[in-house]
Amino acid sequence: MLPSIVLASNLILALTEGVAISNPYETDDYSKVGTQSSIFQFLDGSAPYFPYPQNYSISKEIPDGCKIKQVQVFARHGERFPTQHAGKTLLKLWSKLSNYSTQFNGSLSFLNNNYKFFFSADEEELLVDETRSKNVWNPYMGTTDARKHAGEFLEQYSELLEQDANITAFCTNSNRVHETAENFIEALGDNYNFNLEIISEDGSQGANSLTPAYACAAWNESEGIDTIDKFDTTYLSEIAQRVTSVNQGLNFTKDDAFTMFNWCAFELNIKGYSDACNMFTEEELIKYSYYSDLEYYYSDFVGCSVCKAIGSVPFNASLQLLTADESTLDQKVWISFTHDTDIINYLSAVGLFDNDIPLTGEHMPFMNHAFHKSWIAPCGARLYTQKFECPIEQSNGTYSNSTEEYVRYVLNDAVIPIENCSTGPGFSCELQDFVQYAEDRLAGVNYAEQCQISQYSNVTDLTFYWDYKTKNYTSPLILQ
C-alpha cells in the first residue's frame, strides 16, 4: 500500500470511527511523515516495521509448480509506546529539557515553538492505534501495521485458509500483543471463522508458552556484559558535547544522548516522524545499532548460554507440526503473536543467523556480522515457516507424478535460506533433510534441565497447539 493511501485511510478511519482530533495538524507535520524510513534499521527494533534488508532477490511466493501445504507465522506485536522502563527514562529527560529556561540551539532547536511531548506515563506499554497516535497522518501505527500484514497474508495464503472451516490463532496475554492479533484477525475479513487463544506469559506456564524465557531460572541478562562493555561509546560523549556546546548551562550527558535514540524511535511510532532523529550522524546511528546487536546477541541469541534451549520450545513445536500426519491436524495455518525477544530466542535454536563467529565488543565486524537485531525483530516482525510440495524432477528434465515436501523460512518479507540445506525449489530444504538439520541443531539441548524451570513450573512441553479445544487458554490481559 502506498504511503499516501495509508495516510488517507488513517484519516478516513479516524473520522468514521469518531476518533477525536484535538488539534489541526500543521502542514509541516504532513510533509515530514514517512520521510525517515531509511533509519529504521538502526533503531534497536523499536522503530516501525521494515522488510529485511538482504532479501537475496528470492521471491517469497511459492515456487512455480509447487503447492503450499502448511504455513506457520510467529509474529511480534506492532508499533508501540515505550515500555515502563524506557518510558520512565524518556520522561525524566523530557522533564530536564522542559525546565531549561532559554531557547534551544542546534539539534535540540525543534523543542522550541511549543513542542508537545509525544506520550504520557499512562500510555506506556500500549500499542499505537488511531485513538493514541499523536498525528492522524501517522502511517506507522501498530493497528495499521497488523491490518496491512493481514492483507498481505491473505494475498498469498487465502487458499489454505479456505480449507479450514475454523481456525485458531494464539497470542500472549500482553495487551499490545493481543491487540495486534485482534487487528490482524479482524482485517482477514468475515469469510473466516477465527478463534483467538490467549496464553499467559507467567513463568508458571513453563514450556507451554509463547514466552518460555519467563520460566528460565538460569537466564542471565548480564551474561555477556564483559564483551559488551568493551565497545567504544565515545560517540555518545561526542553527541553530548555537540549539544552542550551550543546550549549553555544545559546538563546533557552521554546517557541522555543514548536516550535520544529511543526518543527518535518511539516518536516515529507515535507521530510518523521525529525531529529528534536528525541529531545523529550516519556513523552514530551505525554505532548505536551495533551496540544494540551486541546486547541482544548476548542476552537473547546464541551468545546467551541458555537461549538456544529457550528457543527450542517453539522450534520443537514447529517441527512437530511440520512432520505430523496432515489428517491429525485441525488446521493448516498456525499463527502466533508474541514479543521480539521470543522471536530472537526461537531463531537462536533455528540457527539462521548463527555463523559460529561471536560478536565482539572490540571492533565492528562488518564482514562477519550475521546477527542484526533491528533487522530481525522490528515492530511487527514476522517469521514464516512455509511447507510446500513439488513434483520430483527426473534426470531427463521432466517431472514425475511423485512429489517431495520442502521447508523454508521467510523473515520480514525476505526468504532466508538455511545455509547448508537450500537445494530445493526456491532455495528450500527437503523436509527429511530439514528434520535432520533440526535434530542436529537441538542435539544436547534440554529446555527443562538447562533452564532449571522446576523453580517456576513442572510443565516441560508446549501443548496448546494440540489441546486448545479441551483446555481453557483465556488469560487476563497485562501491561508487559
Side-chain angles (χ1 to χ4, degrees), residues 297 301-302 351-359 365 367-371 419 441:
Y297 183 90
F301 197 56
V302 294
L352 289 184
F353 305 100
D354 180 9
N355 63 356
D356 293 322
I357 304 175
L359 291 187
M367 299 303 294
N368 294 302
H369 185 185
F371 175 79
E419 192 85 354
R441 285 292 303 177

Side-chain angles (χ1 to χ4, degrees), residues 442-454:
L442 297 175
V445 174
N446 186 304
Y447 168 71
E449 291 181 4
Q450 290 173 255
C451 276
Q452 303 168 26
I453 70 166
S454 59

Side-chain angles (χ1 to χ4, degrees), residues 290-309:
Y290 183 70
Y291 183 81
S292 167
D293 296 342
L294 269 178
E295 284 195 310
Y296 281 92
Y297 183 90
Y298 287 100
S299 66
D300 296 288
F301 197 56
V302 294
C304 153
S305 59
V306 294
C307 288
K308 189 174 181 180

Side-chain angles (χ1 to χ4, degrees), residues 170 207-209 317 320 459-468 471 473:
F170 306 85
N208 196 25
S209 172
Q320 283 183 259
V459 181
T460 59
D461 295 298
L462 189 157
T463 61
F464 59 78
Y465 289 139
W466 293 271
D467 63 15
Y468 61 88
K471 287 196 174 182
Y473 293 110

Side-chain angles (χ1 to χ4, degrees), residues 111-124:
L111 296 174
N112 301 324
N113 303 320
N114 299 316
Y115 173 83
K116 294 180 181 179
F117 196 59
F118 55 97
F119 76 95
S120 57
D122 61 355
E123 294 173 310
E124 291 168 353

Side-chain angles (χ1 to χ4, degrees), residues 131-205:
T131 64
R132 303 177 191 125
S133 175
K134 301 306 185 288
N135 190 334
V136 74
W137 302 112
N138 179 13
Y140 303 130
M141 291 178 278
T143 48
T144 303
D145 180 32
R147 294 167 191 155
K148 183 181 177 186
H149 179 197
E152 293 167 349
F153 178 87
L154 266 182
E155 187 175 343
Q156 184 166 1
Y157 300 104
S158 59
E159 172 190 347
L160 281 184
L161 289 177
E162 290 162 2
Q163 295 178 37
D164 298 319
N166 299 288
I167 305 165
T168 296
F170 306 85
C171 70
T172 81
N173 66 328
S174 162
N175 184 285
R176 63 180 177 270
V177 174
H178 178 261
E179 194 171 347
T180 300
E182 283 197 319
N183 274 271
F184 179 93
I185 291 170
E186 180 182 331
L188 292 175
D190 298 331
N191 293 332
Y192 311 103
N193 185 22
F194 261 93
N195 175 55
L196 182 60
E197 298 291 325
I198 306 171
I199 314 298
S200 173
E201 294 188 3
D202 193 82
S204 61
Q205 287 287 124

Side-chain angles (χ1 to χ4, degrees), residues 106-342:
S107 60
L108 292 183
S109 60
F110 72 92
L111 296 174
N112 301 324
N113 303 320
N114 299 316
Y115 173 83
K116 294 180 181 179
F117 196 59
F118 55 97
F119 76 95
S120 57
D122 61 355
E123 294 173 310
E124 291 168 353
E125 304 281 356
L126 297 174
L127 194 73
V128 180
D129 68 4
E130 291 77 14
T131 64
R132 303 177 191 125
S133 175
K134 301 306 185 288
N135 190 334
V136 74
W137 302 112
N138 179 13
Y140 303 130
M141 291 178 278
T143 48
T144 303
D145 180 32
R147 294 167 191 155
K148 183 181 177 186
H149 179 197
E152 293 167 349
F153 178 87
L154 266 182
E155 187 175 343
Q156 184 166 1
Y157 300 104
S158 59
E159 172 190 347
L160 281 184
L161 289 177
E162 290 162 2
Q163 295 178 37
D164 298 319
N166 299 288
I167 305 165
T168 296
F170 306 85
C171 70
T172 81
N173 66 328
S174 162
N175 184 285
R176 63 180 177 270
V177 174
H178 178 261
E179 194 171 347
T180 300
E182 283 197 319
N183 274 271
F184 179 93
I185 291 170
E186 180 182 331
L188 292 175
D190 298 331
N191 293 332
Y192 311 103
N193 185 22
F194 261 93
N195 175 55
L196 182 60
E197 298 291 325
I198 306 171
I199 314 298
S200 173
E201 294 188 3
D202 193 82
S204 61
Q205 287 287 124
N208 196 25
S209 172
L210 288 164
T211 54
Y214 283 119
C216 189
W219 180 73
N220 177 10
E221 184 179 14
S222 302
E223 185 172 343
I225 194 66
D226 291 341
T227 299
I228 297 168
D229 282 349
K230 291 177 182 178
F231 186 67
D232 182 6
T233 57
T234 304
Y235 74 100
L236 296 173
S237 300
E238 292 171 349
I239 295 171
Q241 172 60 29
R242 198 162 64 235
V243 169
T244 56
S245 67
V246 294
N247 293 284
Q248 187 174 2
L250 178 63
N251 178 27
F252 191 88
T253 67
K254 64 183 295 186
D255 288 341
D256 294 333
F258 187 82
T259 299
M260 289 303 298
F261 286 94
N262 261 346
W263 184 316
C264 162
F266 288 113
E267 192 168 32
L268 279 165
N269 291 347
I270 297 164
K271 289 175 58 178
Y273 74 95
S274 174
D275 290 317
C277 301
N278 299 327
M279 70 186 300
F280 312 119
T281 67
E282 183 181 74
E283 286 191 11
E284 288 161 355
L285 286 164
I286 292 170
K287 289 175 181 177
Y288 173 78
S289 178
Y290 183 70
Y291 183 81
S292 167
D293 296 342
L294 269 178
E295 284 195 310
Y296 281 92
Y297 183 90
Y298 287 100
S299 66
D300 296 288
F301 197 56
V302 294
C304 153
S305 59
V306 294
C307 288
K308 189 174 181 180
I310 296 170
S312 71
V313 174
F315 192 24
N316 270 317
S318 170
L319 189 62
Q320 283 183 259
L321 292 172
L322 290 169
T323 56
D325 184 327
E326 290 181 15
S327 65
T328 66
L329 296 178
D330 295 324
Q331 55 197 52
K332 298 176 178 62
V333 173
W334 301 90
I335 304 173
S336 306
F337 292 88
T338 186
H339 299 274
D340 55 347
T341 50
D342 304 300

